[in-house]
Amino acid sequence: MIIQLCGLSGAGKTTIARSVQQKASTCGIPIEIIDGDAYRESLCRDLTFSKEDRCENIRRLGFVASRLSSYGITCIISAINPYEAVRRELAMKYAQVKTVYIDCSLDELIARDTKGLYKRALLPESHPDKLNNLTGVNDPFEAPAHPDLHLQTHRNSIQTCTNTLFQFIQQAVKKQEQQYSHAASI
Ligand code: ADP
């Protein structure tokens, strides 16, 4: 199974993915986190933050996830993943892809600003430190129209979001196993 997260920087994708991974490991569910930031330093080093490259980034992460998930490893793609078309592309191309929207209000993101990115994006145009392509501020984010799961991190705690995503994965894994055992018994 592939869980493709999407959401703005600082919304909580990495935090929730790591917390779910830890919880799942105690139940024997292997989870690999395919982290956008980490892959941008290796496999996706050549990519920029243009629309084309952001989409290509997701395609590469999706490919890696598809290889691992074919061995029964649940993969969480943790990246901003801002475009509906490429999210849909992944869901059509690979088996068992679930889209999870990690949603957070802009006010809360500006207040958190753990990486200082919002402060830079909101600087005046002429400022030398101005960031011009921060998703949700001055670069597009297409909220998913029909996510399989929608978590609001400005309303719910890390623990609650973790539990909700973990239960969602557990149920999906169980359903997948039932389908396999049914197919094997035919
Ligand atoms: P992203 O991976 O989406 O860029 P991070 O997980 O790196 O975001 O950062 C999210 C920040 O928000 C962390 O500092 C985390 O502790 C904080 N946070 C506060 N409330 C929540 C919540 N309910 N869910 C996830 N993160 C939260």
Side-chain angles (χ1 to χ4, degrees), residues 8-16 112 114-115 153 156-158:
L8 302 182
S9 179
K13 301 179 294 295
T14 307
T15 303
I16 296 168
R112 282 184 197 166
T114 45
K115 298 173 193 161
T153 69
N156 298 295
S157 68
I158 296 174

Side-chain angles (χ1 to χ4, degrees), residues 142-179:
E142 297 171 0
H146 304 289
D148 296 294
L149 184 67
H150 182 176
L151 300 177
Q152 293 186 305
T153 69
H154 53 289
R155 294 221 167 99
N156 298 295
S157 68
I158 296 174
Q159 201 52 55
T160 301
C161 294
T162 300
N163 290 342
T164 307
L165 180 55
F166 177 67
Q167 278 164 19
F168 175 82
I169 292 173
Q170 249 188 338
Q171 279 167 10
V173 166
K174 211 175 275 175
K175 205 164 158 189
Q176 202 177 355
E177 282 169 359
Q178 281 166 356
Q179 281 166 354

Side-chain angles (χ1 to χ4, degrees), residues 109-129:
L109 291 172
I110 290 167
R112 282 184 197 166
D113 207 6
T114 45
K115 298 173 193 161
L117 298 178
Y118 290 92
K119 189 175 169 204
R120 286 184 54 206
L122 294 168
L123 286 169
E125 289 303 325
S126 57
H127 199 287
D129 294 333

Side-chain angles (χ1 to χ4, degrees), residues 4 58 81 83-94 97 99 142-146:
Q4 62 169 339
I58 297 302
N81 200 356
Y83 294 107
E84 185 82 330
V86 81
R87 291 193 296 259
R88 215 175 305 132
E89 188 183 310
L90 243 63
M92 301 283 282
K93 193 166 183 182
Y94 303 118
V97 177
T99 301
E142 297 171 0
H146 304 289

Side-chain angles (χ1 to χ4, degrees), residues 2 11 17 22-23 25-26 32 47 60 72 80 89 100 102 104 106-107 120-121 126 130 145 148:
I2 300 172
Q22 205 169 13
K23 200 170 163 77
S25 72
T26 63
E32 171 72 7
L47 301 178
R60 292 186 196 177
I80 294 173
E89 188 183 310
V100 176
I102 308 293
C104 186
L106 203 52
D107 284 349
R120 286 184 54 206
S126 57
K130 168 92 177 171
D148 296 294

